Amino acid sequence: MKSICFYFQIHQPFRLKRYRFFNIGNDHYYFDDYSNEDIMQQIAARSYIPANRMLLDLINQYKGKFKVAFSISGVALDQMEVYAPEVIEGLRELSKTGDVEFLTETYAHSLSSLFDPEEFHNQVKQHSERIEMLFDQKPTVLRNTELIYSDEIADMVYKMGYKKMITEGAKHVLGWKSPNYVYQSASQPQLKLLLKNSKFSDDIAYKFSDYSWNEYPLTAEKFMSWIASTPPEEKVFNLFMNYEVLGNLQPSHSGIFEFMKALPRFAFEKGIGFSTPSEIMDSHKPIGAIQVPETISWSDEERDVSAWLGNRLQKSALKSLYEIGERVRLCTVRQLKQDWIYLQSSDHFYYMSTKHFGIGNSNFSPYMSPYDAFNNYMNVLSDFIGRIKAQYPDTVDNEELNALLTTIHNQDMEIKRLEQELKKVIGTNEELLVEKLSRKKADKI
């Protein structure tokens, strides 16, 4: 039986306010609260809230036969809690159905997997704990920022304890192979991989309301006929896209909600089902290994990381950011920790891309140009680095930092050991007290 795996990304960065050179050292608040609130509430009204309602209706209507998955960045969750809590409530209702899976990713929707393995590990752990707290699910599938993946990243993911991951079905990696199977990592054979079917995903995400497309209009019946007509041995169809496709990137007047509502009926008529990523990877064996020596993503035609690392501006900004990672991890100031997370979102570096300047994708940027984005970000980062160095100055070299980190880690382990011993002692004393009281009671009788 053929099965469709719908996965939706939800992410919104904390956009920076206009921060000038003269603000450095004087203003330590970096974020444009007005824009962040306005954008989140607009997208929630147009997309997230009606889409949540629609998916819940479909799940209830088809009684467990329709299923989807979500990956929601931690920075998006932080904004939803403040600006659109009803979105989180809707996602909780979806989680309670048992037919929606929540994946884990980097908390900041960051590029830490490319620059700082320890930060990558910490953010995945932080994100997984947040998902479990909010939705009562412990994620078992990892989705890296922008579906970024390589053999080296696979090693890191597997060492974190994950055996399931999703990424892009890049043509230059697959060659003649089809993305419509479960694969495994070449570097870590125990790590199963689900690959995005770019054609079918993009037909919905980008072409649905394109009047110039030769397949316009796209109907649910037509779409399902395409999937049904694929070779019978191809069983898995991974449709990965931004959740904003439903109602925002594809407006409601385009008919996108009606299209989604009709999909299950035509799918079931053709013997096509729906599954979550975990269900697919649990029920299908890998048919082969995928070797990815060079990093891939789901961005642009190249399916590489050039959207965030394609020019000197981006590389310089990322180098400056991650050079201070060890110092930030030593820091205990909550506001600094939070700013560190928010400054890592991949969007800040995407805005610096000269690939997209002057074309459609540049509309997502709040800046006049990539150079404007770079200057604003580096002004903010300069102030942030100054605050970090006030805590841990340049006179403390990396060896000293590592020694301090080791000492702190050892102290944490010792504290945990002593806490466990204390619990045992308290438990033993309570048992002795109960036994003593019982004896006294027996003596009186």
Side-chain angles (χ1 to χ4, degrees), residues 45-94:
R46 287 197 297 257
S47 176
Y48 300 157
I49 294 172
N52 282 348
R53 194 179 305 121
M54 178 196 67
L55 293 181
L56 185 62
D57 289 343
L58 287 174
I59 289 170
N60 291 333
Q61 179 182 349
Y62 292 103
K63 303 185 186 306
K65 292 183 179 180
F66 181 76
K67 302 179 180 185
V68 299
F70 288 96
S71 182
I72 314 169
S73 70
V75 291
L77 289 170
D78 286 352
Q79 290 188 71
M80 287 176 191
E81 283 193 328
V82 177
Y83 304 133
E86 59 272 36
V87 177
I88 292 181
E89 287 306 312
L91 292 167
R92 280 178 173 151
E93 289 299 311
L94 287 169

Side-chain angles (χ1 to χ4, degrees), residues 311-328:
N311 63 45
R312 291 183 180 179
L313 302 179
Q314 295 165 309
K315 291 174 182 176
S316 174
L318 283 160
K319 182 175 181 290
S320 299
L321 175 68
Y322 283 107
E323 276 181 344
I324 59 170
E326 288 185 345
R327 282 175 165 76
V328 177

Side-chain angles (χ1 to χ4, degrees), residues 195-223:
L195 308 181
K196 173 190 167 190
N197 184 308
S198 296
K199 180 192 180 304
F200 288 143
S201 298
D202 294 352
D203 285 346
I204 299 174
Y206 300 112
K207 299 178 182 177
F208 183 80
S209 58
D210 182 1
Y211 294 99
S212 65
W213 184 33
N214 61 351
E215 294 291 350
Y216 181 87
L218 181 62
T219 64
E221 183 177 16
K222 182 193 292 186
F223 188 77

Side-chain angles (χ1 to χ4, degrees), residues 212-418:
S212 65
W213 184 33
N214 61 351
E215 294 291 350
Y216 181 87
L218 181 62
T219 64
E221 183 177 16
K222 182 193 292 186
F223 188 77
M224 284 305 159
S225 70
W226 291 345
I227 292 180
S229 64
T230 56
E233 61 272 14
E234 296 186 7
K235 304 291 187 183
V236 178
F237 297 85
N238 303 310
L239 306 181
F240 302 161
M241 61 195 71
N242 196 316
Y243 202 33
E244 290 178 53
V245 166
L246 306 180
N248 190 40
L249 301 179
Q250 299 295 342
S252 59
H253 62 74
S254 70
I256 189 67
F257 287 110
E258 288 71 22
F259 171 81
M260 286 296 297
K261 291 173 186 176
L263 273 183
R265 177 166 65 88
F266 287 104
F268 299 142
E269 285 179 2
K270 296 182 180 299
I272 301 170
F274 295 85
S275 301
T276 63
S278 282
E279 289 175 339
I280 288 177
M281 286 189 271
D282 286 341
S283 60
H284 291 74
K285 292 183 179 179
I287 66 157
I290 296 294
Q291 191 167 20
V292 188
E294 300 294 331
T295 310
I296 61 173
S297 78
W298 69 350
S299 178
D300 302 333
E301 286 293 323
E302 300 90 344
R303 299 294 194 260
D304 59 14
V305 293
S306 59
W308 307 277
L309 276 166
N311 63 45
R312 291 183 180 179
L313 302 179
Q314 295 165 309
K315 291 174 182 176
S316 174
L318 283 160
K319 182 175 181 290
S320 299
L321 175 68
Y322 283 107
E323 276 181 344
I324 59 170
E326 288 185 345
R327 282 175 165 76
V328 177
R329 283 188 283 277
L330 279 172
C331 181
T332 57
V333 180
R334 182 180 176 277
Q335 188 60 55
L336 284 171
K337 291 275 195 182
Q338 187 180 73
D339 290 348
W340 165 248
I341 288 290
Y342 294 168
L343 290 176
Q344 288 185 64
S345 293
S346 64
D347 310 71
H348 301 307
F349 312 101
Y350 185 85
Y351 300 149
M352 300 176 197
S353 175
T354 47
K355 285 179 67 177
H356 309 118
F357 184 51
I359 60 175
N361 285 340
S362 65
N363 293 334
F364 292 112
S365 174
Y367 299 98
M368 293 295 292
S369 73
Y371 312 101
D372 188 28
F374 174 77
N375 288 332
N376 200 68
Y377 183 84
M378 292 307 291
N379 286 341
V380 168
L381 188 60
S382 295
D383 184 80
F384 179 75
I385 291 173
R387 292 162 66 201
I388 292 296
K389 288 184 177 180
Q391 300 276 326
Y392 299 98
D394 285 334
T395 52
V396 181
D397 61 24
N398 283 337
E399 287 186 11
E400 290 178 280
L401 282 174
N402 288 330
L404 283 170
L405 285 169
T406 302
T407 301
I408 291 170
H409 175 73
N410 291 339
Q411 288 175 342
D412 287 341
M413 297 297 290
E414 181 67 12
I415 289 170
K416 289 178 181 177
R417 186 185 66 80
L418 291 172

Side-chain angles (χ1 to χ4, degrees), residues 19-46:
Y19 194 91
R20 303 186 186 281
F21 176 79
F22 299 104
N23 296 118
I24 300 172
N26 300 309
D27 180 3
H28 302 320
Y29 192 78
Y30 311 133
F31 307 104
D32 188 342
D33 291 340
Y34 176 80
S35 290
N36 290 325
E37 179 178 7
D38 183 56
I39 291 170
M40 175 58 77
Q41 290 184 346
Q42 283 194 42
I43 293 175
R46 287 197 297 257

